[in-house]
């Protein structure tokens, strides 16, 4: 299908890099956090240029329409600077920061840089009726802090001809993209809901999501397990997509990415001709096909010549509609290109992009190709209850004294500027250790102090460390223990300095001493301002989860105070879920030792109510271990399985495999609340028929939680709620949600702690838990379980 008239909006940088960039991927010359560092250096050079040229104007937005090969292009871009040169010729200043060695920075080493500036010059000359324009390339070599400049002059006619030649080269791609988009719009308008009927509450959720995506804005949607959340957000978002997009389906874990892929696959099965292309972005380390990832042309055949091969690979890849990690790897092998970079490049041609939260919210790895400016994007945020915590981590940083001593030892004997710089950092940590020993009388959390300001002495020492560390890494490229230690240290130092640049009253500096070790951390307490900025990059955002209570808490921490919030009722009969609270037991820290046998008895009572699979969630590994040991001795007839700390993926899979359907004997799994088995895991049918939750899930008291409590008490007047009660109840509700997954499921939830019946906690329970009953003894629970499981 070929549309008669094509209109294409095209960023200038994307156009020239797509057509003209050549050579290889090379991580040695890309550095760390280049986007933020490059922006900072751009501003520095622009300020200096104003002093040299008083009429220098920075960040000039340029837009121009061109008709070429039957296509109406709208080219958009932003020139770094425009000024009048000494001879009176208007000049485009294109600034590039680089880690390339100075001898490689030549006039013509990157034709795409000239091309980008020439397109800006062509537009400006046409709009200002100028006969001649000059282009100046300004390269800033980061390590040497040296500026290299090259300039060329062209007539307006030459510049226009250059732009038209580029657009002619791009025409086959533009026609293919425009034809696809037109068919996509037609297909999505005709797309029907893929199931014969809606589940209870599903139609209401779909309507709320559609209105938000169509009109713009933000929606928080609490939808109970089993309502079909994935399809309930994807389907209406696609219906509202129109000419915008793409839809970003962002998740906190890989298992929910698979759910999005399955939903899209179902749409394709039911609509074989549906024009809808999706790509799943997978972390570089996971999708890399080499035994050890090293992104240099010498070590990796998929990096070598990547930019010379990528257009051929892309043209072939556009024949695919569902670009999973496996599909990307198959294409990468066929065309010898990096599968990670192939996925990123393909994302620009896709209607749905599936990936981790990082791709939007992490300031280091976010997709700059999309999010350096606002776009007509739709953000679907799965398991959104995880977002505030993940965002805090993304905007926090930590360093330890031992890391710098270890690096210094790895360098061996002798003097060097790098070892001197490492020692200067070590001296800052030594000063902190002395301060901890002298000033810290409260040792509940070790010898710790907090500061509301950034660590300027450490920041200066780290800034001075970067240059010799970069030089060493450039001179020692072969992998090995020393190289790996110094490379990781470099990344961590740059991460620290990036966070330091954002440090304000939403942060706190924590310094702790443990013997000879000193640990420093900049903790982001409130990520709302960062998240608000991220959400502003799109047309609409839908945040959804089975647990978003209270809505005001999540609207606040996600930076969406004006978001609409909806809470849908469970689609399942309340009678299918037995709910009890053992309110005669306290699992507070001071009472845990005394509660062990009582908790064991309650677990045994629940497990003997009906043969099957059960999970019991504890607030800590130590408490879990104590109860499990008692339970195993006193109830040897009941098989048990324990979660261990730091289980790898294969161990987690093996653990879950024990929870098989149609279990004839009883199995009781012991796990940690808030861990990998308490959310994001589907136990459909009788794979799981009961859950016990020991305690209200309050985070362990510690330095960070207490700082959160203090911060939100001062700023919101709700310190305990924000730091402890709300996060704790979220974990409880997530764990309880493992039981009932389909309309046919039947199971029980047992809450063990008297605090569950307190008014401040009960108000956080979902409406479909209104039949929660309190029990005061094992005997009472046994009687009620018998009645529940009776036919």
């Amino acid at each position: 299908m070929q549309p008669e008239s094509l209109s294409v909006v095209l960023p200038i940088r994307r156009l020239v890099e797509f057509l003209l960039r050549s050579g290889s991927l090379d991580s040695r010359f890309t550095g760390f956090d280049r986007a933020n560092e490059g922006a900072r250096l751009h501003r520095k050079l622009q300020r200096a240029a104003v002093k040299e040229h008083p009429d220098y104007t920075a960040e000039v937005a340029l837009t121009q329409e061109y008709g070429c090969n039957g296509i109406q292009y709208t080219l958009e871009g932003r020139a770094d600077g425009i000024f009048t040169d000494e001879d009176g010729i208007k000049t485009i200043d294109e600034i590039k920061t680089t880690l390339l060695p100075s001898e490689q920075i030549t006039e013509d080493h990157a034709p795409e840089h000239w091309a980008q500036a020439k397109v800006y010059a062509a537009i400006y000359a046409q709009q200002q009726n100028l006969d001649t324009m000059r282009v100046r390339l300004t390269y800033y070599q980061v390590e040497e802090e040296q500026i290299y400049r090259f300039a060329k002059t062209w007539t307006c006619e030459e510049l226009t001809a250059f732009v038209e030649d580029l657009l002619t080269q791009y025409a086959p791609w533009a026609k293919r993209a425009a034809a696809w988009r037109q068919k996509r719009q037609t297909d999505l308008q005709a797309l029907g809901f893929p199931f014969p009927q809606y589940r209870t509450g599903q139609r209401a959720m779909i309507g709320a999501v559609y209105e938000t995506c169509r009109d713009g804005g933000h929606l928080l949607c609490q939808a109970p397990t089993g309502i079909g959340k994935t399809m309930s957000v994807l389907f209406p978002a696609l219906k509202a997509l129109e000419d915008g997009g793409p839809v970003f389906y962002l998740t906190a874990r890989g298992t929910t990415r698979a759910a999005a892929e399955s939903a899209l696959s179902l749409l394709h099965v039911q609509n074989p001709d549906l024009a809808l292309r999706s790509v799943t972005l997978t972390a570089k380390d996971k999708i890399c096909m080499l035994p050890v990832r090293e992104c240099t042309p010498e070590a990796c055949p998929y990096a070598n010549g990547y930019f010379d091969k990528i257009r051929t690979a892309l043209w072939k890849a556009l024949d695919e509609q569902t670009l999973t990690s496996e599909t990307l790897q198959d294409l990468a092998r066929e065309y010898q290109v990096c599968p990670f970079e192939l996925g990123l490049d393909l994302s620009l041609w896709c209607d749905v992009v599936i990936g981790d939260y990082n791709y939007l919210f992490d300031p280091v790895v976010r997709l700059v190709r999309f999010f350096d400016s606002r776009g007509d994007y739709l953000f679907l945020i799965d398991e959104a209850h995880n977002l505030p915590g993940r965002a805090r981590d993304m905007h926090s940083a930590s360093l330890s004294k031992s890391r710098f001593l270890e690096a210094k030892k790895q360098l061996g004997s002798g003097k060097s500027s790098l070892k001197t710089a490492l020692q200067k950092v070590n001296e800052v940590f030594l000063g902190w250790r002395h301060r901890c020993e002298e000033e810290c009388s409260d040792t509940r959390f070790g010898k710790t102090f907090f500061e509301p300001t950034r660590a300027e002495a450490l920041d200066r020492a780290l800034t001075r460390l970067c240059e010799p560390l970069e030089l060493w890494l450039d001179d020692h490229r072969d992998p090995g223990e020393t190289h790996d230690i110094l490379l990781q240290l470099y990344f961590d130092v740059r991460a620290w300095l990036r966070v330091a640049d954002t440090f304000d009253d939403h942060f706190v500096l924590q310094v702790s001493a443990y013997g000879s070790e000193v640990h420093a951390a900049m903790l982001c307490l409130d990520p709302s301002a960062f998240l608000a900025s991220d959400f502003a990059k799109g047309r609409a955002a839908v945040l959804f989860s089975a647990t978003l209570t209270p809505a005001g808490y999540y609207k606040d921490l996600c930076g969406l105070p004006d978001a609409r919030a909806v809470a849908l009722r469970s689609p399942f009969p309340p009678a299918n879920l037995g709910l009890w609270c053992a309110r005669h037991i306290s699992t507070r820290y001071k009472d845990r030792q005394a509660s062990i046998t009582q908790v064991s008895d309650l677990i045994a009572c629940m497990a003997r109510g009906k043969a099957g699979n059960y999970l019991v969630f504890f607030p800590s590994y130590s408490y879990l271990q104590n109860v499990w040991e008692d339970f195993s001795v006193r109830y040897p007839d009941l098989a048990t399985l324990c979660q261990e700390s730091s289980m790898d993926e294969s161990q987690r899979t093996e653990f879950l495999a024990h929870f098989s359907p149609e279990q004839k004997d009883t199995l009781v799994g012991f796990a940690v609340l808030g861990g990998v088995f308490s959310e994001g895991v589907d136990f459909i049918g009788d794979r799981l028929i009961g859950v016990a939750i020991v305690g209200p899930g309050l985070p362990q008291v510690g330095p960070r939680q207490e700082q959160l409590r203090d911060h939100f008490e001062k700023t919101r007047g709700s310190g305990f709620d924000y730091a402890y009660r709300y996060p704790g109840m979220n974990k409880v509700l997530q764990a309880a949600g493992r039981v009932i997954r389909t309309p046919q499921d039947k199971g029980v939830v047992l809450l063990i702690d008297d605090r569950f019946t307190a008014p401040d906690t009960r108000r956080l329970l979902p409406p479909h838990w209104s039949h929660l009953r309190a029990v005061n003894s094992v005997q009472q629970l046994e009687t009620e379980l018998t009645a529940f499981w009776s036919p």
Side-chain angles (χ1 to χ4, degrees):
M1 178 179 179
Q2 182 65 49
E4 296 180 1
S5 178
L6 300 182
S7 297
V8 177
V9 178
L10 192 59
I12 293 166
R13 180 171 178 174
R14 186 186 302 176
L15 168 68
V16 299
E17 289 188 348
F18 181 80
L19 292 174
L20 300 178
R21 196 172 184 184
S22 61
S24 303
L25 296 169
D26 196 334
S27 60
R28 292 169 299 190
F29 303 133
T30 56
F32 180 77
D33 196 13
R34 279 288 305 280
N36 288 288
E37 180 68 4
R40 184 185 69 80
L41 292 171
H42 269 58
R43 292 191 294 270
K44 175 182 176 181
L45 294 174
Q46 287 164 339
R47 288 193 296 269
V50 172
K51 296 179 180 179
E52 182 181 357
H53 302 282
D55 71 334
Y56 190 100
T57 305
E59 303 299 325
V60 180
L62 295 169
T63 302
Q64 183 64 42
E65 293 186 355
Y66 287 90
C68 185
N69 291 88
I71 305 170
Q72 191 66 26
Y73 291 97
T74 301
L75 298 186
E76 298 178 337
R78 187 176 295 273
D80 292 326
I82 300 178
F83 65 94
T84 305
D85 214 341
E86 295 176 354
D87 56 3
I89 296 177
K90 283 290 185 179
T91 302
I92 297 290
D93 190 22
E94 182 64 20
I95 300 172
K96 300 293 183 183
T97 58
T98 180
L99 289 172
L100 277 177
S102 298
E103 62 272 15
Q104 296 185 32
I105 304 175
T106 62
E107 183 176 278
D108 296 314
H109 82 276
E112 69 271 19
H113 296 167
W114 284 113
Q116 184 177 349
K118 287 174 72 175
V119 177
Y120 294 150
I123 294 173
Y124 190 81
Q126 180 175 337
Q127 293 178 349
Q128 301 297 321
N129 295 316
L130 300 176
D131 295 329
T132 304
M133 285 288 295
R134 180 168 294 146
V135 167
R136 184 177 78 176
L137 294 186
T138 299
Y139 289 104
Y140 185 89
Q141 212 290 338
V142 176
E143 292 176 348
E144 299 177 358
E145 298 184 353
Q146 292 293 319
I147 297 173
Y148 300 85
R149 288 194 170 103
F150 307 98
K152 295 181 181 180
T153 305
W154 287 275
T155 66
C156 180
E157 289 77 11
E158 290 172 326
L159 293 169
T160 300
F162 177 77
V163 173
E164 290 175 348
D165 180 61
L166 289 178
L167 297 179
T168 299
Q169 293 180 53
Y170 193 77
W173 297 87
K175 290 178 180 179
R176 185 170 185 178
W180 175 271
R181 183 165 293 230
Q182 187 177 77
K183 186 175 187 305
R184 182 194 79 181
Q185 287 183 258
T186 302
D187 289 356
L188 290 180
Q189 287 174 3
L191 184 66
F193 191 61
F195 300 106
Q197 61 187 19
Y198 295 99
R199 293 180 181 177
T200 303
Q202 196 170 34
R203 182 187 289 271
M205 182 175 179
I206 289 172
V209 172
Y210 177 76
E211 289 177 5
T212 300
C213 293
R214 179 195 63 194
D215 301 335
H218 308 110
L219 173 71
L220 268 67
C221 187
Q222 178 172 285
T225 298
I227 205 170
K229 290 189 290 294
T230 304
M231 188 63 77
S232 297
V233 295
L234 263 176
F235 175 73
L238 292 173
K239 295 291 284 185
L241 191 56
E242 296 179 346
D243 197 37
V247 173
F248 289 90
Y249 190 102
L250 303 176
T251 74
R253 61 185 76 234
T255 52
T256 45
R257 261 161 266 164
E261 290 178 341
S262 297
L264 291 169
S265 178
L266 177 61
L267 293 176
H268 283 295
V269 168
Q270 296 195 2
N271 304 271
D273 296 327
L274 175 65
L276 185 71
R277 187 181 297 115
S278 65
V279 62
T280 301
L281 302 180
T282 305
K284 188 180 293 187
D285 285 330
K286 288 187 176 181
I287 202 172
C288 179
M289 298 184 293
L290 296 183
V292 178
R293 180 172 66 83
E294 184 180 352
C295 305
T296 64
E298 295 84 1
C300 178
Y302 305 107
N304 188 28
Y306 175 85
F307 296 109
D308 302 315
K309 298 177 286 188
I310 185 56
R311 284 179 290 279
T312 302
L314 278 174
W315 191 264
K316 172 64 175 177
L318 293 182
D319 292 335
E320 303 286 341
Q321 295 210 15
T322 305
L323 294 153
T324 64
S325 59
E326 294 80 9
T327 308
L328 292 174
Q329 286 180 326
D330 290 343
L331 288 164
R333 291 188 188 96
E334 182 178 355
Y335 293 96
Q336 290 291 287
V337 293
C338 170
F340 176 74
E341 294 292 336
L342 174 61
L344 294 182
D345 285 335
L346 277 168
S347 67
L348 294 169
W349 303 84
C350 288
D351 312 300
V352 181
V353 179
I354 304 169
D356 189 85
Y357 288 168
N358 292 340
Y359 292 112
L360 172 61
F361 301 112
D362 192 304
V364 176
V365 301
R366 68 163 53 108
L367 297 174
V368 177
R369 66 192 68 202
F370 289 103
F371 303 134
D372 57 352
S373 61
R374 191 181 187 281
D376 196 22
Y377 312 128
L378 303 180
F379 302 133
L380 306 180
I381 312 301
D382 195 4
E383 294 185 318
H385 62 275
N386 288 304
L387 184 57
R390 282 284 302 274
R392 283 193 184 107
D393 292 341
M394 292 173 191
H395 291 278
S396 297
S398 62
L399 291 170
S400 296
K401 175 179 179 294
S402 58
R403 300 278 307 285
F404 297 90
L405 278 181
E406 180 185 26
K408 187 178 177 184
K409 290 177 182 177
Q410 288 287 332
L411 294 172
S413 58
K415 297 181 178 180
S416 69
S417 59
L418 177 53
K419 292 178 72 174
T420 299
L422 288 166
Q423 179 58 31
K424 292 294 184 182
V425 175
N426 185 58
E427 290 171 1
V428 176
F429 279 98
L430 283 174
W432 278 341
R433 190 177 75 188
H434 295 148
R435 179 178 171 184
C436 286
E437 292 171 349
E438 293 171 1
E439 298 182 12
C440 300
S441 56
D442 184 353
T443 58
R444 288 180 300 165
F445 312 122
K447 296 180 178 179
T448 299
F449 69 83
F450 294 91
E451 292 283 355
T453 55
R454 60 184 285 185
E456 293 187 359
L458 178 64
D459 297 345
R460 287 193 296 270
L462 293 175
T463 301
R464 294 181 185 126
L465 170 64
C466 285
E467 182 176 356
L469 188 51
E470 288 168 351
L471 290 173
W472 189 94
L473 289 168
D474 194 45
D475 292 338
H476 301 79
R477 298 178 178 177
D478 295 331
E481 182 181 8
T482 302
H483 176 273
D484 293 347
I485 288 172
L486 267 67
L487 180 62
Q488 187 58 53
L489 182 64
Y490 172 70
F491 287 161
D492 293 343
V493 166
R494 295 303 300 266
W496 176 281
L497 291 174
R498 176 190 59 78
V499 172
D501 285 341
T502 66
F503 196 105
D504 60 14
D505 57 5
H506 295 94
F507 289 79
V508 67
L509 172 69
Q510 176 191 351
V511 178
S512 303
Y514 307 91
S516 61
E517 179 66 290
V518 182
H519 183 79
M522 287 182 290
L523 305 177
C524 176
L525 304 174
D526 181 358
S528 58
F530 296 116
L531 292 177
S533 176
D534 294 332
F535 282 122
K537 298 181 187 301
R539 184 211 311 176
V542 177
L543 292 74
F544 59 102
S545 170
T547 53
L548 287 175
T549 302
Y553 166 74
Y554 287 101
K555 289 198 291 184
D556 183 8
L557 288 191
C558 292
L560 304 173
D562 300 322
R564 179 186 175 194
V566 297
L568 305 176
R569 297 185 67 88
S570 172
F572 306 135
N576 285 13
L577 178 64
L579 275 168
W580 292 277
C581 173
R583 66 180 179 186
H584 60 292
I585 294 178
S586 167
T587 66
R588 294 169 180 82
Y589 188 78
K590 63 182 179 62
D591 300 323
R592 286 182 184 174
Q593 193 64 35
S595 72
I596 290 173
T597 58
Q598 293 176 297
V599 171
S600 289
D601 291 341
L602 286 165
I603 296 170
C605 179
M606 177 183 71
R608 284 178 170 164
K610 181 182 178 181
N613 297 323
Y614 296 85
L615 272 172
V616 186
F617 293 102
F618 293 84
S620 70
Y621 280 103
S622 60
Y623 195 17
L624 178 157
Q625 190 70 25
N626 290 337
V627 175
W628 174 78
E629 290 174 358
D630 176 80
F631 185 90
S632 300
V633 171
R634 296 174 55 232
Y635 299 100
D637 58 312
L638 295 173
T640 61
L641 187 66
C642 270
Q643 177 184 353
E644 299 177 5
S645 60
S646 305
M647 295 173 76
D648 60 27
E649 190 169 344
S650 63
Q651 291 172 317
R652 294 195 295 269
T653 302
E654 183 181 356
F655 183 97
L656 292 172
H658 285 86
F659 293 81
S660 58
E662 301 178 359
Q663 183 83 359
K664 295 181 180 179
D665 299 318
T666 292
L667 172 67
V668 182
F670 287 68
V672 174
L673 190 63
V676 293
F677 302 123
S678 64
E679 63 176 275
V681 180
D682 278 335
F683 294 100
I684 296 175
D686 54 6
R687 287 189 64 200
L688 187 71
I689 64 170
V691 162
I693 300 169
V694 183
L698 303 183
Q700 184 176 355
V701 176
R704 180 168 182 169
Q705 292 305 125
E706 287 298 284
Q707 287 297 308
L708 286 172
R709 178 176 181 165
D710 290 346
H711 175 79
F712 288 113
E713 189 62 37
K714 292 174 183 175
T715 59
R716 313 295 201 278
S718 303
F720 182 79
D721 285 345
Y722 272 57
Y724 292 99
R725 180 176 284 118
Y726 297 159
M729 280 306 297
N730 187 286
K731 290 187 287 185
V732 168
L733 297 175
Q734 280 289 324
R738 299 313 97 204
V739 180
I740 302 295
R741 312 295 294 182
T742 73
Q744 292 74 39
D745 289 1
K746 186 173 183 178
V748 299
V749 171
L750 174 62
L751 308 177
I752 303 177
D753 194 283
D754 62 284
R755 286 170 288 181
F756 285 114
T757 59
D760 283 345
T761 301
R762 287 208 66 145
R763 66 184 173 88
L764 301 177
L765 301 182
H768 60 278
W769 277 28
S770 59
H771 60 297
L772 174 70
R773 293 173 57 86
V775 293
N776 298 305
S777 67
V778 171
Q779 292 75 19
Q780 184 183 358
L781 177 63
E782 181 180 7
T783 300
E784 301 214 6
L785 283 168
T786 300
F788 176 80
W789 289 118
S790 296

